[in-house]
Amino acid sequence: MRTDFIKKPLDFPSDDMIHENLAYFGGKAILPADNRKTNFPYITKEDMMQILISIQHDPTKVIDDFTNRYRNYVGSNYAIPTASGTSSLHLALVGAGVQPGDEVLIPNFTFIATAQAVVAAKAIPVFTDIDPDTYCMDVTQVEKLITPKTKVIMPVHVHGLPADLPQLQKICHNYQLKLVEDASHAHSASINNKICGSIGDAAGQSLMADKNFPVGGEGGMAFFKKEEDYMRALEFLSDSGIDYSMSWIAAAFGISQLERLPYYDKIRARNAKFLSDALENTDLFSPPYVPEGYKHSYNMYRIKINPGAKGLDDLEDYKVKEAIQQIIMEEGVFAREWQNRPIPGHLPFQNKKGFGNQYPFCLSNVKRTYKVSDYPKTLNMFRNTLTICRELRSPIEYERIQSYALAFKKIDQNPDKIRRVVEELGDIKRPYEKDARLG
Amino acid sequence: MDNNNNKQFQMSFVLLRVLNSGIIMSIEKNEKEITGLEKILANITTLPYVSVFNSYTGALHGALHGKNIGYGDSVTLSNPTNKEEKFLKWLGISNLKDKETDVFERLSVNWENIGDFDKNFITQSTLVVDLTDLGFGPCAALATDEREVWEKAERLKIFGAFDLRTMWTQEESHPDLQPGIQFNYRISPLVAACTKLSLIKRGVAVEN
């Protein structure tokens, strides 16, 4: 039987490690090769027991129970459990009143499901660039992109940092638009203690097993502030015949996991703070920016690389990033690209096939070319950032986060070695010139 | 002996076994339950290419997409249910109903017919099987002997077979198979495990 129990304790790392030879060049890795794996979600006896209890009950009751518990936790007025985050976003959009041919503003930097949910709602995605500090939707671009066809603004709380909802709410109010949150990365994230998912007119959220709050496999939740939007979404389900239902098995797992979500959130926040404090003491790396009053859920942790601070600004920044990625992997920290190309540059938006015969893209009078060059801030971010994904999402032990911090500090000590790796790389493609990665 | 055999595969046992494997996410590299369900459906139907979906409408969509039937096109599906009619309408596809042979076969599996449902279909080259009535949650599959139908159906899924294998788009490897609209039609391995067991034990009562 496989166990999640950590069989091999990680030694307390020593600060002296940062002065040792880089593992890339034959030195000892900060994290031993046989002690790098992180587990998530944790599956405990409570989850097992909940499944055994739920299997005795009416499936509808199990799903309703889960939905009500999580809706209360988020603080939303209405909720519809769904089969996935994508379907929850689709429902949130149709609940907000999106009709075929409408335009929905979304950021270009997100998972592809955000944009595909817009197409599923038979609407046209219109992409903004990102704010270079938060990586969320650039609010300053929004008004320029609003047309008479615009119906909804759908920001993404990317990596778990809430988007600038207060500003977006003002814009929505001025133009009579609806605000729909893509809260798929932002479980328990908040602005001034209001939890993401409850702030906009509607929201969609993924609850798949790889998220901060996982159900048993695949699932999602659509949230609504007003009854009329909730009823519109329910009516859509009835009229379209589409089955977006959640399985009771997924819901049962969610019931027991929800009990532990606040604990997991605290550990993640503690670990993120530890790592951020450490990175602040390096020249080469900057931690994620979090505005005052915002609570980041750290579904992912994006680190900015500053080659100039170490005299590496004569090198191409994306090559420095690639070199650091290779070096830190050897130290045992899985820091990587998460997305490498703006979503409008992915094939579904280049091809615009939609549901077939170019629908719904053919409903637009505007010929959108979806050029990646329209998003220079995102392209720049791809050149000089690396992301820690599951490794920090898992509520890891204290000695492990110390090891991660030391790995970055160790690399910070070795700009000449980074230069050497860059020279060895030779000519490589920029991230967004490679095939588009989905995740 | 038979009785003991039945008991060792109770649904609760299966669920706990999968939970203990730690693999409850469909895009996990070493996930085996979904592929296991696809394999048993291939065995039963004798149709080699199977794709599992998290709903009947998802599988129906997959079959239509696999047959290149999209918005503005028409299809022939006889005796459609009210839900099927609504779903086709939502997809923008008109149903010619009984004018020609059905483009693919549809079948619903429940506890009444699970023992011999394979005798009920007439070996169309493509079959859509609804497994939702078994009670584990929405679950359905597309089975076909046309590889291209399967490939196209998989492209309808975000993180379908191609993306899962490569985590890359099809720009280089499948230029003729580029995605349009994509949905998350992925199923939980826990649901797949229970459905798989039910199909393995066809005709034998399965306890909780």
Side-chain angles (χ1 to χ4, degrees), chain A residues 55, chain B residues 9-15 136 194 197-198 206-208:
Chain A
I55 202 170
Chain B
F9 291 116
Q10 288 172 342
M11 284 305 165
S12 50
F13 175 87
V14 171
L15 284 167
F136 309 113
C194 292
L197 173 70
S198 304
V206 180
E207 298 171 35
N208 278 343

Side-chain angles (χ1 to χ4, degrees), chain A residues 85-100:
Chain A
T86 317
S87 47
S88 74
L89 289 168
H90 181 189
L91 279 189
L93 288 168
V94 294
V98 169
Q99 294 288 323

Side-chain angles (χ1 to χ4, degrees), chain A residues 405-416:
Chain A
L406 287 174
F408 284 99
K409 284 183 177 174
K410 189 176 176 184
I411 293 170
D412 190 56
Q413 301 282 318
N414 287 282
D416 294 344

Side-chain angles (χ1 to χ4, degrees), chain B residues 68-117:
Chain B
N68 288 324
I69 301 163
Y71 185 88
D73 299 329
S74 58
V75 68
T76 301
L77 292 177
S78 53
N79 304 314
T81 64
N82 189 28
K83 277 201 161 189
E84 285 173 328
E85 294 254 39
K86 285 178 175 178
F87 188 61
L88 288 173
K89 187 178 168 198
W90 180 70
L91 290 176
I93 296 169
S94 53
N95 191 359
L96 303 174
K97 294 185 183 169
D98 301 327
K99 289 185 180 169
E100 299 170 44
T101 309
D102 281 11
V103 70
F104 49 80
E105 202 169 345
R106 295 110 69 213
L107 198 62
S108 179
V109 176
N110 53 45
W111 291 110
E112 300 300 315
N113 68 4
I114 190 169
D116 58 357
F117 80 92

Side-chain angles (χ1 to χ4, degrees), chain B residues 24-42:
Chain B
I24 61 166
M25 184 168 62
S26 63
I27 63 170
E28 199 85 26
K29 215 188 302 177
N30 44 354
E31 187 286 317
K32 289 188 176 69
E33 301 302 333
I34 297 168
T35 47
L37 175 58
E38 288 171 347
K39 274 182 192 160
I40 191 167
L41 280 165

